[in-house]
Amino acid sequence: MNEVTILTRLRHRNLVSLYGCTSRRCRELLLVYEYIPNGTLSCHLHGEIGIVVYSSMADKNQDSHRTASALAYLHACDTIHRDVKTNNILLENDCCVKVADFGLSRLFPNDVTHVSTAPQGTPGYVDPEYYHCYQLTNKSDVYSFGVVLIELISSLPAVDITRGKDEINLADLAMNKIQNSAFKELVDPCLGFESDSEVRRMIVSVAELAFQCLQRDKELRPSMDEVLQILRRIESGEEEDNHVEEVEIHGGVNGISCSGPIFPSSPPSPDSDESILLKTTKSLPPATKARHS
């Protein structure tokens, strides 16, 4: 019923379409969606079930742009997806993106600061501030999308227990690599980072955007609409190129600092998914973007 309530309000070319559902009197409650034939983004990135992997960074960037467009639309419609991940990004035969699975989604009125609710989502993608504070905001989707961006440039899974304990979560691995100037260790070597300057420009720009999305303090993250605008500039080549010169083939992105976790000392601990809507009493500070020295 949650999915029906949300999806009947929405129409976007990069959201999976709900065609209908069975009535409440039926023995089985079923939702009928459009058929998306070409698997999930996760399958394409990680080579599951024999699906061919992406052939270029340009294709990956185009799909990240389309996904961001869908999420920005959701936020404009007062909806938080709450389970953004590569398994919920479906691909059509022409590789057009369709964001799916709204079972955990929540309506989010524009006159509230957050919804207090028990954390839900997929390990590796869950906003750490939401996890610790029980406060869901649209910036929680931004964090999850940041993990998706890192998956796109690294081709690594969001969670891998065979990695070191500080790098099991891909978000932690990415932040460590960027901060320690080990950028090359993060990038999928098949993308041509060392040999193609245009690919390098796109990867560096996407990594910088992901770095902003993965800030632990939600106020330091951009909005989804800002993310979409940045991805459009990256795709068109209109963003400033001077930062590309600062990246060494064997180094990282210089001049970026990372904020540590900022959590209240006593977060609420609701035992249900009932929302508590807190009215906005003052304007929130704008998102602070990472800058280059």
Side-chain angles (χ1 to χ4, degrees):
M1 291 306 301
N2 184 61
E3 294 196 53
V4 170
T5 300
I6 288 175
L7 284 173
T8 51
R9 302 168 57 248
L10 306 174
R11 289 291 184 276
H12 190 277
R13 61 186 176 184
N14 297 123
L15 292 179
V16 68
S17 295
L18 176 67
Y19 289 155
C21 61
T22 55
S23 74
R24 294 182 180 182
R25 294 185 295 275
C26 290
R27 293 179 60 184
E28 292 183 284
L29 299 178
L30 302 175
L31 300 176
V32 182
Y33 290 100
E34 65 175 315
Y35 177 63
I36 310 298
N38 207 21
T40 68
L41 181 58
S42 176
C43 291
H44 284 258
L45 286 174
H46 308 310
E48 300 169 16
I49 62 175
I51 292 181
V52 178
V53 297
Y54 276 96
S55 60
S56 72
M57 184 60 204
D59 291 338
K60 290 186 173 186
N61 195 61
Q62 193 172 63
D63 280 352
S64 67
H65 174 186
R66 291 166 175 165
T67 304
S69 177
L71 295 176
Y73 170 79
L74 285 178
H75 291 182
C77 295
D78 302 334
T79 303
I80 302 176
H81 189 282
R82 200 158 59 154
D83 198 18
V84 176
K85 58 182 179 180
T86 52
N87 270 319
N88 284 340
I89 301 172
L90 310 181
L91 299 176
E92 295 188 302
N93 281 328
D94 60 357
C95 287
C96 181
V97 160
K98 295 281 188 175
V99 175
D101 196 348
F102 295 83
L104 295 182
S105 298
R106 294 296 303 268
L107 295 176
F108 188 78
N110 58 17
D111 60 345
V112 305
T113 59
H114 63 270
V115 175
S116 292
T117 175
Q120 294 191 49
T122 301
Y125 296 92
V126 178
D127 171 11
E129 189 167 283
Y130 171 37
Y131 182 80
H132 283 270
C133 301
Y134 293 78
Q135 295 180 351
L136 176 69
T137 74
N138 52 22
K139 295 294 184 72
S140 299
D141 279 352
V142 173
Y143 181 92
S144 302
F145 183 72
V147 179
V148 170
L149 289 178
I150 295 297
E151 278 190 83
L152 284 167
I153 65 174
S154 69
S155 299
L156 298 174
V159 174
D160 186 347
I161 61 174
T162 66
R163 296 193 291 245
K165 66 177 182 178
D166 295 329
E167 297 182 343
I168 290 176
N169 285 337
L170 183 59
D172 294 334
L173 183 155
M175 299 297 267
N176 289 338
K177 296 301 183 187
I178 294 173
Q179 287 181 295
N180 293 325
S181 298
F183 188 77
K184 181 188 171 185
E185 297 177 16
L186 179 64
V187 177
D188 182 349
C190 296
L191 293 177
F193 178 75
E194 295 185 82
S195 59
D196 190 320
S197 61
E198 174 63 11
V199 168
R200 185 160 62 251
R201 175 194 69 81
M202 295 179 71
I203 290 176
V204 170
S205 298
V206 170
E208 291 175 339
L209 174 58
F211 189 92
Q212 296 177 52
C213 294
L214 293 175
Q215 294 295 308
R216 285 183 174 262
D217 181 356
K218 66 178 181 295
E219 301 302 337
L220 299 178
R221 302 173 202 155
S223 68
M224 207 63 233
D225 191 58
E226 290 172 322
V227 169
L228 176 59
Q229 298 305 318
I230 294 170
L231 284 170
R232 284 174 175 165
R233 291 198 296 270
I234 293 172
E235 189 172 2
S236 65
E238 293 177 358
E239 90 282 13
E240 294 184 4
D241 292 330
N242 58 358
H243 64 279
V244 177
E245 302 303 321
E246 299 176 16
V247 179
E248 300 293 338
I249 294 300
H250 299 287
V253 180
N254 300 321
I256 302 179
S257 60
C258 175
S259 300
I262 301 176
F263 301 130
S265 56
S266 300
S269 300
D271 55 7
S272 70
D273 198 37
E274 295 299 320
S275 62
I276 302 172
L277 304 183
L278 303 182
K279 298 295 181 181
T280 304
T281 57
K282 61 181 179 179
S283 297
L284 295 176
T288 302
K289 298 182 179 180
R291 296 187 298 112
H292 298 283
S293 57

